[in-house]
Amino acid sequence: MKLVIAIVQDKDANKLRSVFVAHDIIATRFSTTGSFLRSGNTTYLIAIDDDKVDLTLELIKETCSARQQFMTPPVSLNGDTAEHTFPIEVQVGGATVMVLPIDQFHQF
């Protein structure tokens, strides 16, 4: 059994939840915030059998697409405050996924 931790952008979170439900994948969802872009994220915790890990990763990859977006950073690249910053193009979306072994799993 594995623990899949998937951090996705809020824009993709509801669609991914629907995909998980359609494939009988049980996930715990909670809100998180990224540090650099300070944008809303959703983190899923998924305890899954080893034989379903590849399917789970493929569903996340297909559902959470990376895209380009302009944003104004909170500080400029030379350290000035936000009043001297200019929008920059950054990649957003996609998913950050970690897969960890589970030594024990209990449901009471």
Side-chain angles (χ1 to χ4, degrees):
M1 187 160 241
K2 302 286 188 213
L3 174 64
V4 177
I5 303 171
I7 304 165
V8 303
Q9 192 175 39
D10 280 347
K11 284 185 175 182
D12 298 323
N14 287 332
K15 185 176 178 184
L16 183 60
R17 183 183 59 79
S18 296
V19 169
F20 285 158
V21 169
H23 287 86
D24 295 322
I25 295 172
I26 299 170
T28 299
R29 170 184 173 167
F30 56 96
S31 296
T32 54
T33 302
S35 61
F36 176 67
L37 299 179
R38 295 185 182 169
S39 61
N41 294 320
T42 297
T43 300
Y44 284 98
L45 299 178
I46 308 152
I48 195 93
D49 290 325
D50 289 346
D51 61 337
K52 291 187 177 181
V53 170
D54 289 338
L55 170 65
T56 303
L57 295 175
E58 189 60 35
L59 294 172
I60 294 168
K61 184 177 179 181
E62 289 175 1
T63 306
C64 303
S65 59
R67 51 200 167 269
Q68 297 298 114
Q69 174 180 313
F70 283 95
M71 60 86 58
T72 303
V75 295
S76 68
L77 297 177
N78 63 5
D80 290 343
T81 59
E83 65 189 53
H84 296 102
T85 61
F86 297 96
I88 58 173
E89 190 173 27
V90 295
Q91 181 175 318
V92 297
T96 301
V97 181
M98 294 154 271
V99 180
L100 306 166
I102 294 179
D103 292 332
Q104 295 184 27
F105 179 81
H106 305 278
Q107 285 185 307
F108 300 108

